[in-house]
Amino acid sequence: MAVKKNWVDRGIILAAILLFAILFGESLAAGSPLPDLPGGGSLEKWEQPWRQMTDSGEKRITDYPYYPETEEKALTVYNQVPKIGDGEWMVLRNAYQTVRVAVDGETVFQYEGGFVGSRRPITGSFLCMVPLKAEYSGKTISVELTSPDGAALQVASPIRMGTAAEIRFTVFQSNRGVLLFSVAMVILMLISFGIYLFSRRYENRRDYQSFLFLGIFILLAMIWVLTDSTLGFLLSVNPAFIFLVSMVCFQLLPVPFLPVVWQNCGWDGRTLRLLQRLFWANCAAQGLLYFFDVFSYPRMLPVTHILLVLTIFYLLWRLVKDVKEKASASAKNLLGIVGIFSVFGLASLFIFSLGMRKDNSKLFRWGLLIFVVLLLGETWSKLIRLVQERIQMEVYKKMAYQDVLTGLGNRTAFEERIEELEESLAAGSLVSLAMLDLNGLKQVNDTGGHRAGDQLLRDIAGCLRRAFEGMGECYRIGGDEFAVLFPGTEMTNDTCRTMVHRELARFHEETGRELSISGGCVSSRVEEKGKFRISGMMEQADALMYEEKRMFHGSRDGEGK
């Protein structure tokens, strides 16, 4: 299961990177509608104001956005082309409308939206680039706007003209905030993915999966903001494609965001998973309804807005409930973060829905950036807390199963290992056990103090560890008692004694200090799995150890005589 989830995570990252590559690869391959010209400058206004012919006569347009006084099926404005040369362009900001530009009644530019596979237009909000020729000088140019989606007809911003270089300069200058936002989001996205990849070495996947989903959320938000701005027209000649990418990214924003919330708060996520499916279904349904020419995307946009508002209010309610009932620190922090974002988001949505003459995207953009920074900080803090708890638990576990003085396994670890071997060793398996007892510890404690005795224990533990490295598992099971398990190995008493004494001799040669230990080792073969008991081996090994200990004390007594 862990391997499967591992591949799922890799697939999510790969899909996110692939989406980014496809979108910008398609855009770069298609190229910009403008020729590649160097230089800069600013766009010029027309010498005369644009005009509309109404029932009451000619009306000059001086304020933007301009809305006609009466409801009409089409809005037509006109002007006289000043003296120009070849290479000039007219720039018109489209606002979910079809556009037809004519010079002296002859159509020179037309945009009706549309996308592959559907007859229904995707109009969107973007810049229309109309190439002008020197021969148009002095002629009447008209712009006819229609709204297939029923949106209010308007001239969204002043119609300007200039060279390709001037258009690029003006677009980049007017989108400085979007560019700064995108750079910041790229940095935050790389940080999120970097923390995720670095933290995968921890076993608890919930500790770091939040960064995976947060990185994908940042990527979607960045693509949405870029494609929702006028920078998109510089990347692709297909504004319908740019608008479609913008809509899909906007509709799917909550999908990676919701797991970040439920994983940070420790929720089971059932309700939020349902909301996730609703956003997936909403995106798929709107795509199908557009494809089969039932509804246009702008008409279906309120459905996405309603889902977003309901999700925000549900999250706020759930977080407030957690703060009150559980006093959850994570819920309290997230409540503040989501609350801040909700203020920005709902204010931006309110401005957008009322069609107010304000830049609602700027409000939402910076609210989103603040939200991502705070959310990344909270997710990082959550990870740090969980890692600290894990380290603390590992320390407690180590203290429970490790002898603090020598670093060897303690008696608890020894007994649990015996139980594990008795249950797991297959019939015919070999196992060996050595029981050892340090000689002279009491005398050292009496003459040199307990500090000297502790050092003696550390020294003998080090010798045993080096003597049986790669072969046996060493434990300190009492004050001066040690045990070594050899799973799958036949270790005779003579071989064990030789290996120990060889290491003690090396220690004496290096330090000049002499160590002495008595021991006994026995081997056995498992006859039937699950019925083998090591306790009988311990008794045999103890008998051999005590026999050697008596010999040691007998030799010492003989030397004393």
Side-chain angles (χ1 to χ4, degrees):
M1 182 63 69
V3 174
K4 183 178 179 181
K5 289 184 177 180
N6 183 40
W7 279 106
V8 169
D9 289 349
R10 290 182 182 180
I12 292 174
I13 292 181
L14 183 61
I17 296 173
L18 189 61
L19 172 65
F20 186 82
I22 289 175
L23 298 183
F24 284 91
E26 187 278 341
S27 300
L28 293 174
S32 168
L34 300 173
D36 189 15
L37 296 176
S42 57
L43 299 180
E44 298 292 335
K45 291 183 179 180
W46 293 71
E47 294 178 354
Q48 301 179 19
W50 286 77
R51 299 177 293 279
Q52 179 198 12
M53 185 60 68
T54 65
D55 294 338
S56 58
E58 187 179 77
K59 179 177 178 61
R60 290 173 172 255
I61 302 173
T62 55
D63 296 324
Y64 294 90
Y66 170 73
Y67 298 90
E69 296 178 353
T70 58
E71 292 187 5
E72 301 176 7
K73 293 183 178 180
L75 169 61
T76 302
V77 296
Y78 59 91
N79 207 329
Q80 185 177 22
V81 180
K83 184 173 180 58
I84 58 173
D86 290 330
E88 297 280 331
W89 295 73
M90 185 176 77
V91 186
L92 167 67
R93 173 101 190 217
N94 182 25
Y96 304 97
Q97 301 165 123
T98 61
V99 182
R100 187 179 78 88
V101 179
V103 176
D104 280 352
E106 182 181 351
T107 300
V108 296
F109 174 88
Q110 189 164 2
Y111 174 73
E112 295 180 343
F115 202 67
V116 177
S118 176
R119 298 184 304 276
R120 181 172 290 276
I122 294 182
T123 48
S125 178
F126 55 91
L127 293 180
C128 289
M129 309 303 303
V130 183
L132 301 177
K133 301 178 181 179
E135 61 189 68
Y136 296 165
S137 299
K139 296 182 179 181
T140 299
I141 186 170
S142 62
V143 177
E144 180 182 321
L145 305 170
T146 59
S147 178
D149 300 315
L153 291 169
Q154 60 173 300
V155 182
S157 60
I159 303 173
R160 301 177 183 271
M161 63 178 175
T163 65
E166 291 169 343
I167 293 172
R168 282 197 177 90
F169 178 81
T170 301
V171 169
F172 279 113
Q173 188 180 45
S174 61
N175 285 280
R176 285 174 295 181
V178 174
L179 291 171
L180 288 173
F181 171 86
S182 300
V183 170
M185 294 294 270
V186 167
I187 294 172
L188 294 171
M189 179 183 68
L190 293 176
I191 291 174
S192 296
F193 283 140
I195 295 174
Y196 165 74
L197 294 173
F198 175 78
S199 302
R200 285 181 57 187
R201 60 195 177 104
Y202 295 109
E203 294 180 2
N204 189 345
R205 303 179 66 82
R206 292 186 63 171
D207 291 2
Y208 58 83
Q209 263 193 333
S210 296
F211 290 98
L212 169 64
F213 292 113
L214 183 56
I216 296 172
F217 171 76
I218 295 172
L219 175 62
L220 288 176
M222 180 184 66
I223 295 176
W224 170 60
V225 170
L226 280 172
T227 53
D228 196 52
S229 70
T230 52
L231 285 170
F233 98 100
L234 292 177
L235 298 174
S236 177
V237 295
N238 192 340
F241 173 79
I242 294 295
F243 177 73
L244 185 62
V245 170
S246 178
M247 290 297 298
V248 170
C249 288
F250 178 69
Q251 291 168 350
L252 295 181
L253 272 177
V255 173
F257 165 68
L258 292 174
V260 178
V261 176
W262 82 58
Q263 289 180 9
N264 271 284
C265 292
W267 298 344
D268 58 21
R270 282 179 294 182
T271 303
L272 296 186
R273 283 189 178 91
L274 175 61
L275 287 172
Q276 261 190 322
R277 296 188 185 99
L278 284 176
F279 281 104
W280 278 114
N282 174 61
C283 182
Q286 292 197 23
L288 291 172
L289 290 172
Y290 158 74
F291 184 82
F292 289 107
D293 201 18
V294 179
F295 290 107
S296 66
Y297 271 105
R299 284 188 180 275
M300 294 185 287
L301 192 58
V303 176
T304 305
H305 289 162
I306 290 171
L307 280 176
L308 286 171
V309 171
L310 291 176
T311 301
I312 288 174
F313 279 114
Y314 173 77
L315 288 177
L316 291 174
W317 170 78
R318 182 73 183 271
L319 290 168
V320 169
K321 183 180 178 183
D322 266 26
V323 171
K324 288 183 177 180
E325 296 179 358
K326 303 178 182 178
S328 169
S330 295
K332 185 177 181 181
N333 294 337
L334 280 172
L335 178 61
I337 295 170
V338 175
I340 291 172
F341 179 65
S342 301
V343 171
F344 281 93
L346 293 176
S348 175
L349 181 61
F350 179 75
I351 293 172
F352 176 83
S353 62
L354 293 183
M356 298 174 66
R357 302 180 184 184
K358 301 289 183 182
D359 185 4
N360 69 298
S361 63
K362 181 185 293 185
L363 182 66
F364 187 83
R365 184 168 65 241
W366 293 113
L368 181 61
L369 181 59
I370 294 171
F371 170 72
V372 168
V373 171
L374 294 176
L375 188 59
L376 180 60
E378 171 59 23
T379 306
W380 173 255
S381 299
K382 177 74 172 180
L383 176 64
I384 294 299
R385 290 195 297 270
L386 290 173
V387 170
Q388 288 175 340
E389 290 175 5
R390 178 182 292 108
I391 293 173
Q392 194 173 32
M393 290 300 295
E394 289 176 352
V395 170
Y396 290 152
K397 184 178 180 180
K398 191 174 183 180
M399 292 173 63
Y401 290 95
Q402 187 181 63
D403 179 59
V404 178
L405 180 62
T406 63
L408 301 180
N410 61 16
R411 189 172 192 89
T412 301
F414 176 66
E415 291 174 349
E416 290 192 8
R417 180 61 171 147
I418 286 176
E419 292 178 4
E420 179 186 342
L421 289 173
E422 289 176 342
E423 294 177 2
S424 63
L425 285 175
S429 299
L430 281 168
V431 63
S432 300
L433 171 66
M435 304 295 290
L436 305 109
D437 192 279
L438 178 61
N439 296 321
L441 177 61
K442 184 176 184 305
Q443 183 181 357
V444 172
N445 281 334
D446 292 342
T447 58
H450 286 284
R451 181 173 297 180
D454 291 345
Q455 184 59 50
L456 182 64
L457 288 167
R458 283 191 289 266
D459 291 339
I460 200 67
C463 289
L464 293 176
R465 189 185 291 112
R466 288 189 295 270
F468 301 117
E469 186 174 7
M471 299 176 59
E473 304 167 4
C474 300
Y475 302 88
R476 182 190 176 202
I477 59 175
D480 55 1
E481 298 176 52
F482 296 85
V484 185
L485 282 167
F486 302 92
T489 302
E490 185 176 12
M491 177 69 66
T492 66
N493 190 44
D494 291 340
T495 302
C496 179
R497 183 186 299 113
T498 300
M499 295 176 70
V500 172
H501 288 177
R502 184 188 302 127
E503 185 59 37
L504 295 181
R506 188 194 65 79
F507 178 82
H508 175 67
E509 183 180 346
E510 290 180 357
T511 65
R513 290 186 285 119
E514 188 173 350
L515 299 176
S516 177
I517 192 168
S518 299
C521 182
V522 294
S523 297
S524 184
R525 189 179 295 275
V526 178
E527 294 182 358
E528 185 178 351
K529 183 179 179 180
K531 294 187 177 181
F532 176 74
R533 295 293 175 262
I534 298 180
S535 56
M537 296 177 63
M538 292 175 63
E539 293 175 1
Q540 297 175 45
D542 275 335
L544 291 173
M545 183 264 292
Y546 285 122
E547 178 63 27
E548 184 173 332
K549 204 168 187 68
R550 280 194 296 270
M551 293 174 61
F552 169 77
H553 287 298
S555 65
R556 294 290 295 268
D557 292 342
E559 291 175 6
K561 293 177 181 178

